[in-house]
């Protein structure tokens, strides 16, 4: 009897192990069987991605009147054999049922094709399912990074995946794991900030939330890491312009977040639209093939960004013909082309295969990678490629809005709070002494959400759901204190002062003055700017108010970049950074300013003070010695609270052997009178090494909740890999010597002793996870224990 119990336990646990997602290469038998049946034309079609415009009757119609044209769809799938479609038309997001109808028609047509290969539909769900009407719109990535909460990032990834998959869409172009170290860049807000570890951790967590542990589930989607790699450091600060990144910096800062998520199971990667060191991202064989596919063992597929293959000819001028552009990109390692407005890539790929300029082995490799992902998603199995009509009923859940509000709350960062002006006392706000609200971001939803919100640029508020129109900052405060106690004055656009007379009269008797500044929605090239300084009209608005009243000013910033505000910092008694907090941002701000939630956000970027002094927190010692200095407005990791925290009892072993873990402990106490969440950030400084060290690097963080006067013990565990860097020979290595640990106002030194030797990549040493393509250590342990159980059963 005991033997049967042991065997039953063994079977159950082996089942648990086998439910971990299979590696993409495990589908190769089925993939190769299908490949053997495919013509060159069918293979070229699988590599071709078109936009939805090519299959619609009239893409210019309003979103709720969009219809699929059956003949255009037939041409796309039966004649050009395309394997992927993306996007919504320019008029904006569709409803869930509307999306389901579109996807059903697409998959029905694909079913009629010779080999019935399903279509892989892709969409930019980057802060929720933002191309689906009534979806939950979360904070954009930089605001999420400000939470320093990977658990929250994973949950947002799960919800985004659920709502995207409910529409029948199985592939999302997110997360953005290219590091954001250029403050001018118009896509900075799509990144998780300027620090390598933070971007690695948040990106992986979000990706794992999206993909889960079963890609065939109706709750998950395929993630797409972007934009590989170095897109986020254009020298000029303008989108899609050249970056100059030497090999050491590429390996140290830009590649690790991609490696982390690739090794954790990400199945697709979108390519950098720009160029690095004179080589366009879509023609970079070293990065696409040698690093991504060979070194990182990436078995999924790469996809171009919008129109970027033809741009090798029309913009980058590395290809003298469109055909040469196709050859260059495919041979460099591009597997799928987001063409997207015609079938030129299909035609030219077929030509290249027929004349031998693209070998059939490379053609098969690209298609094999795409088909692996389609099999992993279960698109060939049953009705998995078709939408689940019942998903309309579970598309929204009450807890989703609560999670969204919590994410927005946790990201909001209190930069300044003179004389504890905040939180506001609601009893001070009366019909005589009103809360005065003004500024261009006070009564608009677009500035809370940014780009990729129902439309590409996110500027068309007319198509936002009507039930959300009161979620602006002004609308949220009005709902809390009543309209009679608020004075709202539209005294400024983003770049023009309007009539300010009524405002300037009202501020003299105000209880509080809330000036809401920032940026209008934008993304990509339309968001390019010439000056990081906040628009003159907005700065003047604060200066005018200050000149007429002694009532303290609360400045609120809703912006995708840290716009320079040096002129008004001293004029503001409190400054609050919202980033792009999403659709719950207005209500979250009310919660924070009235003290219902104690702010806990920390800057994931360095906030600059000057236009030509755009430092990052991990600057080199040469930047602060021999006459140089760093002068920023607010440091990376800065963020105030309504309570206070004290750090004590930092414990670090003074001498650590080469292979030992580095255990660091300290006590953190809430010394104030309010409950508060608090992120403890741990930095390490390598004092001397062969490559000049940065002054410090973030090596650990933990977000905890504290009751008043509560003390908690915090423990960080590092190893020598956490102390590694890219050496002279461009390998990752650790050197023995002196290091300093910094946590808050505490610091301690330790000496690492032992031999200097290369170390392996970060990801390969951190083990697996629920979504990794390989068994993790826990699964190996379970497997080992079950083998022992079987042996015990035999001998019993």
């Amino acid at each position: 009897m005991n033997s049967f119990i042991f065997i039953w336990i063994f079977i159950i646990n082996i089942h648990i192990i086998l439910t971990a997602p299979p590696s993409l290469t495990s589908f190769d038998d089925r993939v190769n069987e299908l490949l053997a049946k495919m013509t060159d034309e069918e293979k070229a079609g699988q590599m071709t991605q078109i936009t939805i415009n090519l299959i619609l009757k009239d893409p210019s119609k309003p979103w709720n009147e969009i219809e699929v044209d059956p003949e255009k769809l037939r041409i796309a799938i039966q004649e050009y054999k395309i394997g992927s479609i993306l996007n919504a038309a320019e008029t904006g997001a569709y409803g869930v049922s509307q999306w389901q109808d579109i996807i059903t028609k697409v998959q029905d047509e694909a079913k009629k094709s010779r080999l019935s290969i399903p279509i892989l539909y892709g969409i930019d769900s980057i802060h929720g399912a933002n191309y689906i009407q009534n979806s939950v719109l979360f904070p954009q990535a930089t605001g999420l990074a400000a939470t320093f909460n990977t658990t929250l990032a994973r949950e947002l990834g799960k919800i985004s995946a659920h709502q995207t998959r409910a529409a029948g869409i199985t592939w999302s172009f997110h997360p953005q794991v290219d590091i954001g170290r250029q403050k001018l860049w118009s896509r900075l807000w799509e990144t998780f900030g300027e620090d390598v570890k933070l971007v690695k951790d948040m990106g992986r967590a979000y990706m794992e939330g999206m993909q889960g542990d079963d890609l065939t589930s109706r709750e998950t989607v395929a993630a797409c890491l972007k934009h590989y790699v170095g897109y986020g450091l254009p020298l000029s600060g303008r989108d899609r312009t050249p970056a100059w990144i030497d090999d050491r910096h590429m390996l140290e800062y830009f590649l690790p977040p991609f490696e982390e998520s690739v090794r954790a199971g990400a199945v697709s990667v979108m390519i950098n639209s720009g160029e690095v060191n004179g080589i366009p991202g879509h023609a970079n064989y070293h990065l696409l093939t040698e690093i991504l596919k060979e070194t990182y063992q990436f078995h999924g597929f790469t996809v171009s960004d919008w129109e970027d293959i033809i741009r090798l000819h029309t913009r980058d001028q590395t290809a003298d013909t469109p055909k040469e552009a196709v050859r260059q990109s495919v041979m460099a390692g591009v597997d799928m082309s987001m063409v997207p407005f015609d079938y030129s890539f299909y035609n030219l790929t077929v030509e290249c295969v027929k004349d031998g300029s693209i070998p059939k082995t490379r053609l098969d490799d690209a298609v094999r990678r795409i088909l692996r992902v389609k099999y992993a998603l279960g698109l060939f199995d049953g009705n998995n490629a078709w939408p689940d009509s019942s998903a309309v009923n579970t598309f929204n859940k009450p807890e989703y809005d609560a999670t969204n509000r919590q994410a927005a709350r946790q990201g909001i960062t209190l930069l300044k709070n003179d004389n504890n002006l905040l939180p506001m006392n609601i009893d001070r706000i009366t019909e005589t002494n009103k809360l005065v609200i003004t500024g261009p971001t006070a009564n608009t939803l677009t500035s809370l959400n940014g780009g990729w919100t129902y439309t590409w640029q996110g500027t068309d508020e007319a198509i936002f759901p009507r039930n959300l129109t009161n979620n602006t900052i002004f609308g949220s405060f009005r709902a809390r204190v009543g309209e009679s106690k608020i004075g709202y004055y539209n005294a400024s656009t983003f770049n023009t002062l309007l009539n300010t007379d009524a405002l300037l009269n009202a501020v003299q008797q105000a209880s509080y003055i809330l000036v809401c500044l920032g940026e209008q929605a934008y993304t990509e090239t339309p968001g390019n700017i010439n000056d990081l300084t906040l628009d003159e009209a907005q700065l003047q608005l604060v200066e005018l108010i200050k000149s007429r009243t002694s009532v303290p000013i609360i400045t609120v910033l809703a912006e995708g970049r840290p716009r320079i505000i040096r002129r008004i910092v001293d004029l503001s008694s409190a400054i609050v950074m919202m980033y792009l907090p999403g659709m719950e941002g207005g209500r979250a701000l009310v919660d924070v300013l009235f003290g219902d939630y104690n702010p806990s956000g920390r800057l994931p970027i360095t906030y600059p003070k000057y236009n030509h002094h755009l430092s990052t927190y991990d600057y080199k010692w040469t930047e602060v010695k021999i006459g140089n200095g760093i002068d920023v407005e607010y440091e990376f990791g800065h963020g105030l609270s309504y309570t206070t925290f004290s750090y004590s009892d930092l414990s670090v072993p003074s001498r650590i052997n080469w292979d030992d873990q580095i255990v660091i402990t300290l006590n953190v106490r809430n010394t104030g009178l309010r409950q508060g969440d608090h992120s403890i950030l741990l930095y390490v400084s390598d004092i001397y090494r062969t490559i000049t060290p940065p002054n410090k690097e973030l090596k650990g963080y933990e977000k905890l909740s504290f009751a008043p006067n509560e003390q908690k013990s915090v423990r960080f565990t590092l190893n020598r890999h956490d102390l590694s860097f890219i050496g002279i020979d461009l390998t990752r290595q650790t050197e023995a010597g002196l290091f300093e640990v910094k946590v808050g106002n505490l610091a301690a030194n330790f000496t690492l002793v032992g031999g200097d030797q290369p170390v392996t990549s970060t990801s390969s040493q951190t083990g697996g996870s629920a979504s990794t393509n390989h068994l993790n250590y826990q699964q190996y342990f379970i497997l080992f224990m079950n083998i022992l159980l079987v042996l015990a059963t035999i001998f019993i």
Side-chain angles (χ1 to χ4, degrees), residues 270 396 427 515 542 584 591 621 624 742:
M270 186 181 291
N396 267 321
D427 294 332
V515 186
V542 176
E584 287 291 324
D591 295 339
W621 290 113
V624 292
K742 302 173 184 176

Side-chain angles (χ1 to χ4, degrees), residues 360-544:
K360 292 194 176 186
T361 52
R362 172 66 190 112
L363 182 75
D364 285 354
D365 173 60
V367 178
R368 182 179 293 110
R369 291 170 176 276
I370 295 165
L371 293 178
R372 282 171 180 161
V373 175
K374 291 189 176 186
Y375 275 108
L377 285 164
L379 300 186
F380 288 90
D381 303 328
N383 294 319
N384 232 21
W386 282 262
D388 176 7
S389 59
S390 68
V392 173
N393 302 321
T394 58
F395 178 73
N396 267 321
K397 300 177 183 179
E399 59 267 31
Y400 287 178
D401 286 331
T403 300
N404 190 15
R405 191 166 178 173
Q406 183 68 353
R409 284 168 151 186
Q410 287 197 24
I412 289 174
T413 305
L414 181 59
L415 300 179
K416 181 180 181 180
N417 192 22
D418 284 355
N419 301 315
N420 293 318
L421 173 65
L422 299 176
M424 296 191 296
N425 181 351
I426 196 168
D427 294 332
R428 286 183 55 189
I429 302 172
T430 66
E431 293 184 5
T432 303
N433 302 108
K434 297 185 178 185
L435 167 62
V436 170
I437 299 177
T438 190
T441 63
N443 199 28
T444 175
L445 291 174
T446 57
S447 291
L448 299 184
N449 286 280
W452 305 108
T453 302
Y454 300 117
T455 61
W456 173 42
Q457 290 297 306
T459 55
D460 187 1
E461 205 160 305
I463 69 168
F464 284 29
R466 295 296 92 198
N467 63 317
L468 299 178
T469 54
N470 288 326
N471 281 17
T472 65
I473 294 173
F474 165 52
S476 299
F477 275 96
R478 180 176 55 195
R480 178 62 182 271
V481 303
E483 189 160 8
S484 64
K485 297 180 182 180
I486 290 183
Y488 168 67
Y489 298 90
N490 183 21
S492 169
T493 68
F494 290 94
N495 54 21
T496 305
L497 276 175
L498 305 176
N499 189 327
T500 61
D501 292 345
L503 168 66
L504 296 179
N505 287 329
V507 296
Q508 298 177 59
Q509 293 186 356
S511 54
Y512 297 96
I513 303 167
L514 199 65
V515 186
C516 304
L517 309 178
E519 298 184 301
Q520 53 193 326
Y522 63 86
T523 188
E524 301 190 43
T525 305
N528 285 346
I529 54 176
N530 297 319
D531 190 338
L532 195 58
T533 305
L534 190 65
D535 297 290
E536 178 68 17
Q538 297 186 58
L539 300 176
Q540 287 181 2
L541 181 64
V542 176
E543 291 169 338
L544 279 171

Side-chain angles (χ1 to χ4, degrees), residues 658-794:
W658 189 251
D659 290 320
D660 289 350
Q661 286 189 328
I662 307 164
V663 178
I664 300 163
T665 62
L666 71 151
N667 291 324
V668 179
R669 181 182 295 277
N670 179 356
T671 54
L673 301 177
R674 289 178 176 267
Q675 184 277 339
D677 297 337
H678 184 58
S679 294
I680 299 99
L681 310 186
L682 177 135
Y683 299 95
V684 174
S685 300
D686 190 345
I687 306 303
Y688 297 99
R689 71 183 195 193
T690 51
I691 298 296
T692 57
N695 76 97
K696 63 181 179 181
E697 295 175 288
L698 183 69
K699 294 298 181 181
Y701 54 89
E702 185 170 1
K703 187 157 196 165
L704 300 173
S705 186
F706 293 82
N709 201 41
E710 182 179 12
Q711 177 172 294
K712 292 186 177 182
S713 179
V714 182
R715 175 188 174 104
F716 295 99
T717 303
L718 308 179
N719 56 43
R720 76 166 185 266
H721 185 276
D722 295 308
L723 310 178
S724 67
F725 62 96
I726 302 300
I728 291 174
D729 62 356
L730 298 182
T731 63
R732 183 164 289 280
Q733 55 197 248
T734 305
E735 291 177 353
L738 183 65
F739 294 83
E740 183 181 43
V741 172
K742 302 173 184 176
V743 191
N745 60 339
L746 304 179
N749 292 341
F750 69 88
T751 301
L752 180 68
V753 295
D756 300 344
Q757 55 186 277
V759 296
T760 58
S761 68
T762 305
S763 303
S764 63
Q765 291 210 359
T766 56
S769 70
S771 67
T772 185
N773 282 337
H774 309 283
L775 295 180
N776 62 32
Y777 296 145
Q778 183 180 21
Q779 292 166 337
Y780 277 121
F781 176 74
I782 295 171
L783 183 60
F784 174 72
M785 292 304 295
N786 279 288
I787 292 171
L788 291 182
L789 277 172
V790 171
L791 292 175
T793 302
I794 294 171

Side-chain angles (χ1 to χ4, degrees), residues 168-226:
I169 299 171
T170 54
W171 184 25
S172 173
F173 305 132
H174 202 56
Q176 158 71 286
V177 296
D178 204 17
I179 194 168
R181 293 171 74 86
Q182 168 54 280
K183 308 297 191 301
L184 282 162
W185 188 40
S186 57
R187 306 191 76 167
L188 179 72
W189 51 268
E190 293 185 49
T191 77
F192 292 112
E194 70 183 39
D195 174 68
V196 178
K197 178 172 176 56
L198 186 59
V199 175
K200 282 169 58 175
D201 293 351
M202 298 296 283
R204 175 174 178 166
Y206 203 102
M207 181 277 296
E208 290 176 337
M210 292 170 66
Q211 294 194 169
D213 57 8
D214 179 9
L215 274 176
T216 68
S217 167
R218 295 283 188 176
E219 298 293 319
T220 61
V221 296
C224 186
L225 309 178
K226 60 186 189 183

Side-chain angles (χ1 to χ4, degrees), residues 50-71:
I50 60 168
T51 183
I52 192 174
N53 295 44
L54 284 186
I55 64 167
L56 297 179
K57 289 183 178 178
D58 183 357
S60 66
K61 284 197 169 187
W63 67 270
N64 54 349
E65 298 178 21
I66 289 294
E67 293 181 87
V68 172
D69 186 313
E71 178 59 14

